[in-house]
Amino acid sequence: MVYMRSALNKAPEVVGVLFGLVLFYFWLIFIDKIKMLFFSEAVLVDGNKIIKAQYWGQIDQWLVAGLILFFLIFGHYSLCSKNMSRIEKNRDIIGMKSALIGFVLWLFITIISFLFNITVTYSFNIVGGYITIIFVYFLMRKSYI
């Protein structure tokens, strides 16, 4: 019975994370639409007109993968903040802020490396971005404690 009550208490948290995943999916659609609207070109291939968006390598990779942590934490916070303690709320707020700050910092690095024609592998790009987010998270947590 205690296990059942505990599982029911966790249900809003799981729904919050799933809500964050849905928001992340909308972010991906938004990024795709922006690229197709402003950064695309029409190419003729065998008499067929194909609209193709520009590919920016590591910038595109980070735009797609970089904000998933933010959206997961945001979904959790938005649906569960009424029932959370102050410590849990602060942890989620610090997580969201550090995810955004780390995302922007790593985005600048990817833009600079792209402009200087420095090719970065996908795994290094994503791991480097998440390490940046974790570093910012620990810096922010240290300053809040």
Side-chain angles (χ1 to χ4, degrees):
M1 188 69 170
V2 172
Y3 176 74
M4 188 64 142
R5 198 174 305 138
S6 174
L8 290 175
N9 290 339
K10 296 290 181 183
E13 293 184 21
V14 172
V15 171
V17 171
L18 291 175
F19 177 63
L21 280 175
V22 170
L23 292 176
F24 177 69
Y25 180 72
F26 284 121
W27 164 254
L28 295 178
I29 293 171
F30 174 74
I31 287 295
D32 184 57
K33 296 298 179 189
I34 292 295
K35 281 190 69 176
M36 292 303 283
L37 184 63
F38 295 112
F39 305 105
S40 63
E41 61 184 349
V43 179
L44 284 176
V45 177
D46 295 329
N48 296 321
K49 183 178 175 182
I50 298 174
I51 299 175
K52 181 175 119 176
Q54 294 178 2
Y55 180 67
W56 299 318
Q58 57 261 24
I59 297 171
D60 281 345
Q61 295 167 359
W62 187 240
L63 283 173
V64 167
L67 282 180
I68 191 163
L69 289 175
F70 169 78
F71 283 111
L72 293 176
I73 297 168
F74 178 77
H76 178 262
Y77 180 79
S78 63
L79 293 184
C80 300
S81 63
K82 291 180 182 177
N83 299 327
M84 287 196 291
S85 69
R86 199 184 92 200
I87 293 171
E88 291 172 322
K89 283 183 183 181
N90 283 342
R91 191 177 311 138
D92 275 1
I93 291 170
I94 291 169
M96 286 186 289
K97 287 180 180 180
S98 61
L100 283 177
I101 292 169
F103 172 79
V104 171
L105 287 174
W106 195 254
L107 185 61
F108 283 137
I109 291 170
T110 60
I111 290 170
I112 290 168
S113 64
F114 179 77
L115 291 175
F116 285 107
N117 291 325
I118 300 169
T119 303
V120 179
T121 63
Y122 178 79
S123 57
F124 179 78
N125 185 25
I126 302 306
V127 169
Y130 288 139
I131 288 173
T132 303
I133 289 173
I134 291 169
F135 181 72
V136 170
Y137 175 77
F138 283 120
L139 282 177
M140 290 183 74
R141 229 178 116 192
K142 186 177 181 180
S143 68
Y144 276 97
I145 293 176

